[in-house]
Amino acid sequence: CVCGSMLSYIMTRQVVVLLVVLLLEGWAAATFYQDCSDAEVLEVSITDCDIPPCIVPRPSSQHVNITFIPAHEGTILDTVINANIGGVDFPWPGPSGCPLLVQGSCPIQPGQTYKYSSLMPVYAEYPAVSVVVTYKITDENEVNHACIMFPIILV
């Protein structure tokens, strides 16, 4: 019967649409990124950016939140930010890392979960350009405890 096949097709399609919606809702709070560290990065969220490239207005401040599990001990944390434009890295101002831990505190220990929350300043003087941002949380020995890369477009 054609009616049974059509009903089966419609029901299958509705189930697929529902699964896609549920998956997207689960990912809505996180930003896709490339992990470039030895640590285990559990989650990253960036202001108004679920799927890169992130569209970032000038001037603005972007919230960057990283949940990670370090592989090594660290006493003093710093934030190192670079913007790569055409293969050339340009430093971006980064704050001290320890005061930005909203879960856990310094010194950090391997195997423990830490949440880091920071503002990434975007100044009006920056050019309107596409860049790849490398965002690192390093320690006094320059060990990367969390490192993420994500593309942005400054507008």
Side-chain angles (χ1 to χ4, degrees):
C1 171
V2 175
C3 294
S5 296
M6 184 62 110
L7 182 59
S8 175
Y9 170 76
I10 290 170
M11 288 177 58
T12 302
R13 187 171 176 174
Q14 288 175 337
V15 168
V16 169
V17 168
L18 178 61
L19 287 173
V20 169
V21 167
L22 290 174
L23 284 173
L24 289 176
E25 279 186 23
W27 287 336
T31 301
F32 289 108
Y33 60 92
Q34 180 179 345
D35 188 345
C36 51
S37 65
D38 292 335
E40 183 180 354
V41 176
L42 302 175
E43 183 178 8
V44 173
S45 65
I46 301 166
T47 305
D48 297 327
C49 182
D50 296 329
I51 301 174
C54 305
I55 307 301
V56 178
R58 301 168 299 134
S60 67
S61 290
Q62 302 298 304
H63 288 274
V64 176
N65 301 295
I66 303 170
T67 304
F68 67 100
I69 300 174
H72 307 281
E73 291 182 4
T75 303
I76 300 169
L77 298 181
D78 285 310
T79 306
V80 178
I81 308 170
N82 285 302
N84 186 288
I85 303 171
V88 178
D89 283 332
F90 294 91
W92 202 312
S96 175
C98 287
L100 302 174
L101 292 175
V102 295
Q103 177 182 327
S105 61
C106 289
I108 61 171
Q109 301 296 318
Q112 300 294 315
T113 300
Y114 296 88
K115 289 186 180 181
Y116 167 96
S117 183
S118 175
L119 283 177
M120 181 176 67
V122 179
Y123 300 113
E125 296 82 21
Y126 291 169
V129 65
S130 295
V131 303
V132 175
V133 175
T134 301
Y135 205 98
K136 298 179 186 179
I137 302 170
T138 64
D139 69 14
E140 66 278 5
N141 298 314
E142 297 184 14
V143 172
N144 289 335
H145 293 284
C147 177
I148 59 170
M149 296 172 63
F150 53 93
I152 66 172
I153 300 173
L154 299 176
V155 294

